[in-house]
Every structure is written in structure tokens, then in C-alpha cells.
Amino acid sequence: MPTKSLSVPKVSRRTAVIAVITAAVLVAAALIGGEAYARHRIASCISSQFEKEMGSQINVGFGAKPLLVTMVDGKVSRMDVDSEGAEFGPAVDMQVHAQFHDIQMPEGSNSGSTIGSSNADVSWSNEGMTQTLKGLVSEVRSDPDSGKLTMAVLGGLGRLQITPQIVDGKVQLEVGQAQFLGIGVPEDLAEGVVNLLTESMQVYPLGLEPTALKVTDNGVEIDLKGGQAELPPPPEGSTSC
């Protein structure tokens, strides 16, 4: 008797194409989901370290390198940081945009990340300076032509002029005119203003140092640069890296 061979069902080209497309979509969805998870986890981990050091809430962004790869090698090529809170240290309304390069993430939750290099742009408005110096001055005006900050003191009856400049990698404040009804402004008042401004404009985190300063119509702009630096470990109970 002749034997009948079992017929193998043929797969149409359309079915094969659909199967390939479906598989590709599933792989892409998995990669997108994994990348989203990696970005959330790494952002949470590093943000807690940066916020602890910078003294302000921040928003973070990353460079082009997929962070799924970072989950494996522990390296972030670039991270953008923007201050989010109303205060940056003692300074009210100081806006900071920074870039950190070659970040090496910790291997364990008890370690802090390391930074290869960094740069930042800082802008501080006249209104922000006025709020920071509340109780000492009632108004701050900036003059880009002279490079001076003029502050109204003692209810607006006195004037205190300060010239900010960079000397040996630090912001220094030179006090010029300081008069109240034709006589000198009290020394403790001028000293209080200078000390608070110095703390706000001279002390920066993560080894960042001022390299350029410009007085504008709206306030002060400062450029910062930094080299290698270490971040503190994430706070206890925060997302581990």
C-alpha cells in the first residue's frame, strides 16, 4: 500500500512578516521599558547624592549614552543638573545649570559617586539678592557699565556700592561708596551685607570654582569649572545605585 506523507502547513510570507514585526515590537518595548527603569533608578540614586552636596532640590538629565549600559558598567558620560528649589544654599532665587562629566557610580549603597570634571552657569537676580539680604537692604540695582551693585540700606536713606570680581579663583567683593545722609554706613551693616553675599557667591559645592563674572541689567552671572570630585553616599533609606 502506498504511504501518505504528512503535509507540513506552509507559512505564508504575510504571516512570517507579521511574526517578525511582532517580535521586533516586543523587543523594542522591552528596551524602552528597561531604559525608562534605568533612567528612573539612576536619576533617583544620583539625585539624592547631588542634593545632599548642593543643598537644593534639582532636576537631572543625561547624555546620549543609554542608561541600560550604565546599569552594567556603572559609568555616566554626562549629567545635566538644574537647581529647582527657591533657595541654593543661603541664596534666594539663584539659578544654577551645571554639567558633570565622566561620573562613576558606586558599586554599593555605602559608597558615593565620583565626578571627572564639571562646569556650571550661575545667575542671581537683583530681586533674589534683595530677598537674601532682607533686613539688611531694601533694594539691589545692578549696573553692567560700571560692574557695580548698588544697594539701598537704612530704609532707602543710605546707599552701599559693591563691586564683585574674581581674584585668584574666588569671588571678592570690593566695597565702594557707603553713605547714609552724607555720613558713613555703620560698619556692622556693611560687614553683614558683604559676609552674606560672599557666602552666597563664593562657596560652591563639588570643587566648582568661579572663572568669570559679569554684572548684567538683571543681576550677576558667574561661570564655574571643577575637576575631580566625590559625592557623599546616598542618604540612608534612599534608592541604592
Side-chain angles (χ1 to χ4, degrees):
M1 293 179 61
T3 58
K4 293 183 178 180
S5 59
L6 295 175
S7 60
V8 179
K10 294 182 178 180
V11 179
S12 68
R13 176 177 294 181
R14 180 178 180 181
T15 302
V17 170
I18 292 175
V20 170
I21 292 175
T22 301
V25 169
L26 291 174
V27 170
L31 289 174
I32 292 171
E35 179 68 11
Y37 170 77
R39 284 182 175 268
H40 172 73
R41 185 176 181 82
I42 293 172
S44 298
C45 165
I46 296 184
S47 292
S48 63
Q49 297 178 60
F50 273 89
E51 288 177 353
K52 183 177 180 180
E53 181 69 15
M54 297 177 74
S56 172
Q57 290 187 325
I58 60 172
N59 287 322
V60 300
F62 298 95
K65 178 183 176 181
L67 294 193
L68 275 174
V69 178
T70 296
M71 295 284 284
V72 177
D73 64 14
K75 297 178 181 179
V76 179
S77 59
R78 194 191 83 200
M79 180 174 171
D80 296 329
V81 172
D82 291 289
S83 60
E84 185 182 55
E87 297 183 5
F88 187 82
V92 178
D93 194 37
M94 178 178 279
Q95 304 300 315
V96 179
H97 173 69
Q99 285 190 349
F100 297 91
H101 307 275
D102 302 323
I103 301 170
Q104 178 67 55
M105 294 177 58
E107 296 182 0
S109 58
N110 294 326
S111 304
S113 301
T114 58
I115 299 167
S117 62
S118 57
N119 58 274
D121 302 318
V122 175
S123 60
W124 197 15
S125 66
N126 291 328
E127 179 60 29
M129 282 185 271
T130 302
Q131 293 180 43
T132 303
L133 298 167
K134 189 176 181 180
L136 295 173
V137 309
S138 55
E139 184 185 28
V140 176
R141 293 184 179 180
S142 54
D143 181 4
D145 293 329
S146 65
K148 298 181 184 297
L149 303 173
T150 301
M151 304 178 183
V153 297
L154 301 173
L157 299 176
R159 289 287 182 272
L160 178 63
Q161 282 191 340
I162 293 178
T163 303
Q165 54 190 339
I166 296 176
V167 178
D168 296 329
K170 292 184 178 181
V171 176
Q172 289 192 2
L173 305 174
E174 180 182 330
V175 179
Q177 183 184 33
Q179 290 188 338
F180 168 64
L181 297 178
I183 60 177
V185 168
E187 187 174 328
D188 57 344
L189 172 60
E191 185 177 341
V193 170
V194 170
N195 287 344
L196 191 48
L197 283 177
T198 298
E199 184 181 358
S200 300
M201 288 198 285
Q202 188 180 93
V203 181
Y204 296 102
L206 302 169
L208 284 162
E209 295 183 350
T211 57
L213 184 150
K214 178 172 64 175
V215 176
T216 68
D217 289 324
N218 299 318
V220 176
E221 294 180 356
I222 305 172
D223 296 336
L224 308 171
K225 284 191 177 181
Q228 280 194 326
E230 292 188 6
L231 288 165
E236 188 175 347
S238 64
T239 303
S240 61
C241 301

